Amino acid sequence: MTAETVHKRVLKLMGNRFEISVVADDRIRANELIDLAVAEINRIEHLLTTFSDDSQTNQVNANAGVAPVKVDREVFDLIARSLKISELTQGAFDITYGSIDKSLWNFDLNMKSLPDAETAQASVRLINYKNVVLDSENTTVFLKEAGMRIGFGGIGKGYAADKAKVILQHNGVKSGIVNAAGDLITWGTRPNGKPWTIAIADPDQENTPLSTLNISNMAVATSGNYAKYVIIGGKKYSHTIDPKTGLPVSGIKSVSIVSPSAEFADAMATPVTVMGAYVGLNLINQLQNVACVIVTDDSKIYTSKNINIK
């Protein structure tokens, strides 16, 4: 038996870089525990992925406009929570985002111009969370229009982080961090008893912290325009598309959300970007136990009323 220390493993899961850290006094046991977390994340990926024809997500998508599809209660409940976030953000978050015309919005080097407003609008014509019909009694999901697609790109990583944390806690891990490509959940404290220190990336220098937060039992998720973008006519356009207009969002470099759950933090980061600094801050300030840090295109930093950064 040795002193407690942080045991960490970095690996690719759900197509993203995950970093799983647990505080333990036994390296072998720590690795066994991390294995359990990895297995849980792989299980969730199998349920939610759109890269496998037999996933429940793709079965729902394949039957869009045709028939309801029975899914696991877990998937059903995640979709139901997603729709509530869509209502909360007035559609700025939308689980039917998967139907966007990817041939129009590939954000690679071949993209030299933006589509006109009419073409952009047409590219998002099937995005409408109100056309997702849930039957709680039979746990079925039905997409009203043929061609609609749901996807968990805006919430799935956070959900997986939360579930991995639960598995670790149930197996006796009192402290740790599950970091799903920047969407992370913390619990407990560092081995020295102090809170975890989380860095918020500077959107202009991704590997440099803009600020740090001391947190415990909270999650942080960040959406930034530095992850994927194109420059057209000297202007930077992020990969975040407004689901209402079909055009890239501008005005905000990054949004970091702090909340008790990684799922909610993950789901709220992008819609606050879409809503803009003023409207986004106003929404966050109305929510309990939720905070945010927004960096605008002119490098101004805005924080919700319940957050202190240093």
Side-chain angles (χ1 to χ4, degrees):
M1 198 74 75
T2 57
E4 283 194 329
T5 186
V6 179
H7 299 266
K8 182 189 298 185
R9 191 185 305 171
V10 177
L11 67 170
K12 191 172 183 180
L13 297 165
M14 302 179 81
N16 290 276
R17 181 184 187 274
F18 272 64
E19 190 177 291
I20 302 169
S21 304
V22 301
V23 174
D25 55 14
D26 182 321
R27 181 178 59 83
I28 294 174
R29 179 57 180 156
N31 274 315
E32 291 172 351
L33 291 163
I34 292 173
D35 286 342
L36 294 176
V38 171
E40 175 69 353
I41 295 165
N42 282 329
R43 183 188 69 79
I44 291 165
E45 180 180 18
H46 183 70
L47 283 177
L48 305 184
T49 183
T50 54
F51 294 100
S52 172
D53 288 342
D54 64 351
S55 75
Q56 295 192 8
T57 308
N58 270 347
Q59 289 171 32
V60 170
N61 291 338
N63 283 281
V66 179
V69 172
K70 187 171 181 60
V71 298
D72 288 357
R73 171 60 68 178
E74 175 181 5
V75 175
F76 182 91
D77 288 345
L78 181 59
I79 294 172
R81 293 196 297 276
S82 297
L83 297 182
K84 285 182 179 175
I85 294 172
S86 296
E87 289 283 355
L88 179 68
T89 61
Q90 299 181 350
F93 173 90
D94 197 316
I95 196 175
T96 62
Y97 189 82
S99 58
I100 193 169
D101 186 345
K102 289 191 173 65
S103 63
L104 196 61
W105 295 117
N106 51 23
F107 286 95
D108 64 13
L109 293 174
N110 296 322
M111 192 171 171
K112 303 294 184 189
S113 63
L114 293 179
D116 59 69
E118 192 173 294
T119 304
Q121 186 71 58
S123 78
V124 295
R125 67 182 179 82
L126 291 172
I127 298 176
N128 187 351
Y129 68 94
K130 293 179 179 176
N131 285 337
V132 180
V133 181
L134 300 182
D135 179 338
S136 182
E137 187 174 339
N138 297 303
T139 64
T140 61
V141 183
F142 177 53
L143 308 181
K144 282 185 180 178
E145 291 195 55
M148 281 182 71
R149 292 176 60 83
I150 59 170
F152 295 92
I155 195 170
K157 292 200 307 295
Y159 176 68
D162 284 343
K163 294 290 284 184
K165 181 200 80 168
V166 170
I167 287 289
L168 290 169
Q169 284 184 315
H170 283 176
N171 283 276
V173 179
K174 294 178 180 174
S175 303
I177 303 177
V178 179
N179 184 346
D183 302 337
L184 60 88
I185 180 85
T186 69
W187 70 104
T189 61
R190 290 188 282 165
N192 62 8
K194 294 183 177 178
W196 297 102
T197 300
I198 303 300
I200 293 180
D202 184 333
D204 294 321
Q205 303 175 74
E206 191 179 350
N207 296 317
T208 303
L210 173 76
S211 63
T212 58
L213 300 171
N214 289 326
I215 62 172
S216 182
N217 304 314
M218 294 293 276
V220 180
T222 298
S223 175
N225 69 357
Y226 47 82
K228 197 173 184 183
Y229 62 89
V230 291
I231 295 177
I232 298 171
K235 185 175 179 182
K236 188 175 184 179
Y237 294 94
S238 84
H239 69 290
T240 303
I241 302 296
D242 185 333
K244 290 190 175 72
T245 66
L247 291 168
V249 173
S250 62
I252 288 180
K253 288 182 184 176
S254 74
V255 172
S256 297
I257 303 286
V258 183
S259 89
S261 94
E263 173 190 318
F264 189 75
D266 184 12
M268 289 299 290
T270 297
V272 169
T273 304
V274 173
M275 295 164 88
Y278 179 77
V279 177
L281 270 179
N282 186 45
L283 172 62
I284 296 299
N285 280 333
Q286 295 177 57
L287 303 176
Q288 288 190 335
N289 297 321
V290 182
C292 74
V293 179
I294 299 173
V295 183
T296 57
D297 277 352
D298 54 2
S299 297
K300 289 182 179 174
I301 300 173
Y302 296 88
T303 62
S304 56
K305 62 186 180 186
N306 48 358
I307 195 168
N308 293 306
I309 62 171
K310 62 178 187 177

XYZ file of all heavy atoms in Angstrom, residues 46-49 52-62 69-76 79 139 141 150 152:
224
model
N -21.599 2.531 -28.347
C -22.322 1.556 -29.171
C -23.808 1.925 -29.291
O -24.423 1.724 -30.338
C -22.168 0.160 -28.578
C -22.822 -0.907 -29.392
N -22.347 -1.306 -30.625
C -23.942 -1.632 -29.169
C -23.139 -2.238 -31.122
N -24.120 -2.455 -30.262
N -24.367 2.472 -28.219
C -25.779 2.872 -28.241
C -26.008 4.103 -29.116
O -27.001 4.182 -29.842
C -26.252 3.215 -26.822
C -26.566 2.098 -25.853
C -26.948 2.696 -24.504
C -27.708 1.224 -26.377
N -25.088 5.067 -29.023
C -25.355 6.398 -29.579
C -24.717 6.682 -30.931
O -25.127 7.615 -31.618
C -24.869 7.474 -28.591
C -25.419 7.409 -27.164
C -24.907 8.612 -26.368
C -26.949 7.384 -27.163
N -23.723 5.922 -31.320
C -22.961 6.284 -32.513
C -23.829 6.339 -33.785
O -24.809 5.610 -33.921
C -21.815 5.277 -32.748
O -21.062 5.706 -33.884
C -22.336 3.871 -33.002
N -22.334 3.382 -36.968
C -22.629 1.954 -37.032
C -24.099 1.768 -37.388
O -24.984 2.324 -36.717
C -22.330 1.306 -35.675
O -22.775 -0.027 -35.669
N -24.358 1.027 -38.441
C -25.734 0.881 -38.924
C -26.665 0.271 -37.885
O -27.872 0.515 -37.886
C -25.757 0.012 -40.194
C -25.172 0.753 -41.381
O -25.075 1.995 -41.307
O -24.798 0.091 -42.367
N -26.108 -0.559 -36.990
C -26.986 -1.254 -36.046
C -27.168 -0.505 -34.725
O -27.795 -1.021 -33.805
C -26.478 -2.685 -35.780
C -25.118 -2.675 -35.090
O -24.509 -1.594 -34.983
O -24.679 -3.761 -34.664
N -26.628 0.725 -34.611
C -26.850 1.466 -33.360
C -28.317 1.896 -33.289
O -28.994 2.039 -34.311
C -25.949 2.698 -33.297
O -26.426 3.716 -34.163
N -28.777 2.107 -32.078
C -30.176 2.519 -31.920
C -30.420 3.878 -32.572
O -31.491 4.132 -33.129
C -30.522 2.557 -30.428
C -30.468 1.171 -29.797
C -31.078 1.133 -28.408
O -31.675 2.087 -27.929
N -30.933 -0.017 -27.766
N -29.429 4.740 -32.527
C -29.555 6.051 -33.165
C -29.815 5.896 -34.659
O -30.725 6.531 -35.218
C -28.265 6.865 -32.963
O -27.948 6.885 -31.577
C -28.425 8.275 -33.471
N -29.040 5.051 -35.301
C -29.214 4.907 -36.747
C -30.491 4.160 -37.107
O -31.060 4.366 -38.181
C -27.995 4.214 -37.357
C -26.947 5.239 -37.778
O -27.225 6.427 -37.837
N -25.737 4.775 -38.054
N -30.953 3.296 -36.215
C -32.243 2.643 -36.475
C -33.372 3.676 -36.445
O -34.303 3.619 -37.252
C -32.475 1.538 -35.451
C -31.552 0.335 -35.655
C -31.642 -0.651 -34.510
O -32.690 -0.815 -33.900
N -30.531 -1.303 -34.211
N -33.289 4.612 -35.506
C -34.276 5.704 -35.461
C -34.185 6.525 -36.745
O -35.200 6.843 -37.381
C -34.039 6.595 -34.227
C -34.891 7.868 -34.304
C -34.331 5.832 -32.946
N -32.966 6.864 -37.152
C -32.783 7.690 -38.350
C -33.255 6.977 -39.612
O -33.865 7.590 -40.499
C -31.304 8.069 -38.500
C -30.863 9.043 -37.416
O -31.688 9.742 -36.818
N -29.568 9.086 -37.155
N -32.987 5.674 -39.693
C -33.380 4.914 -40.887
C -34.891 4.836 -41.035
O -35.403 4.666 -42.147
C -32.782 3.504 -40.818
N -39.456 3.732 -33.524
C -38.472 2.686 -33.231
C -38.320 2.564 -31.714
O -38.153 3.571 -31.019
C -37.104 3.034 -33.861
C -36.029 2.054 -33.404
C -37.213 3.029 -35.386
N -38.371 1.341 -31.230
C -38.203 1.111 -29.798
C -36.714 1.204 -29.443
O -35.872 0.607 -30.114
C -38.746 -0.262 -29.407
C -38.750 -0.496 -27.894
C -39.499 -1.775 -27.552
C -39.519 -2.008 -26.040
N -40.178 -0.907 -25.296
N -36.424 1.967 -28.386
C -35.029 2.115 -27.935
C -34.951 1.799 -26.451
O -35.977 1.714 -25.762
C -34.504 3.547 -28.192
C -34.495 3.864 -29.668
C -35.320 4.575 -27.417
N -33.728 1.641 -25.948
C -33.536 1.430 -24.517
C -34.051 2.645 -23.750
O -33.992 3.781 -24.240
C -32.051 1.254 -24.197
C -31.512 -0.087 -24.682
O -32.306 -0.891 -25.205
O -30.295 -0.303 -24.546
N -34.504 2.401 -22.536
C -34.987 3.508 -21.701
C -33.902 4.574 -21.540
O -34.177 5.772 -21.526
C -35.428 2.957 -20.341
C -35.748 3.984 -19.293
C -36.888 4.924 -19.698
N -38.172 4.238 -19.763
C -39.320 4.867 -20.056
N -39.320 6.177 -20.343
N -40.453 4.197 -20.110
N -32.668 4.127 -21.434
C -31.544 5.048 -21.265
C -31.441 6.015 -22.458
O -31.251 7.223 -22.278
C -30.267 4.212 -21.144
C -29.002 5.003 -21.077
C -27.769 4.092 -20.985
O -27.927 2.846 -21.070
O -26.667 4.630 -20.831
N -31.560 5.479 -23.654
C -31.488 6.316 -24.866
C -32.712 7.222 -24.935
O -32.608 8.422 -25.241
C -31.390 5.429 -26.132
C -31.435 6.284 -27.389
C -30.111 4.596 -26.092
N -33.856 6.643 -24.622
C -35.109 7.416 -24.636
C -35.008 8.625 -23.696
O -35.343 9.754 -24.064
C -36.273 6.511 -24.218
C -37.607 7.181 -24.250
C -38.394 7.138 -25.401
C -38.094 7.859 -23.139
C -39.630 7.765 -25.435
C -39.313 8.495 -23.165
C -40.091 8.446 -24.316
N -32.742 11.345 -24.997
C -33.420 12.123 -26.042
C -34.430 13.082 -25.399
O -34.532 14.260 -25.786
C -34.107 11.192 -27.058
C -33.057 10.401 -27.836
C -34.999 11.992 -28.017
C -33.625 9.318 -28.734
N -41.426 3.406 -24.958
C -40.047 3.878 -25.208
C -39.696 3.840 -26.706
O -38.692 3.284 -27.121
C -38.996 3.088 -24.396
O -38.970 1.746 -24.802
C -39.243 3.205 -22.920
N -39.226 6.150 -30.398
C -38.850 7.461 -30.939
C -39.247 7.485 -32.411
O -38.944 6.543 -33.152
C -37.335 7.702 -30.821
C -36.970 9.101 -31.311
C -36.866 7.486 -29.391
N -31.223 12.242 -36.019
C -30.773 12.722 -34.716
C -29.308 12.342 -34.544
O -28.805 11.413 -35.187
C -31.607 12.155 -33.547
C -31.566 10.615 -33.521
C -33.025 12.672 -33.593
C -32.169 10.020 -32.259
N -25.966 12.677 -31.339
C -25.641 13.057 -29.965
C -24.308 13.789 -29.872
O -23.686 13.828 -28.808
C -25.640 11.812 -29.073
C -26.995 11.172 -28.959
C -27.374 10.160 -29.821
C -27.901 11.611 -28.002
C -28.637 9.577 -29.731
C -29.163 11.047 -27.903
C -29.529 10.021 -28.775
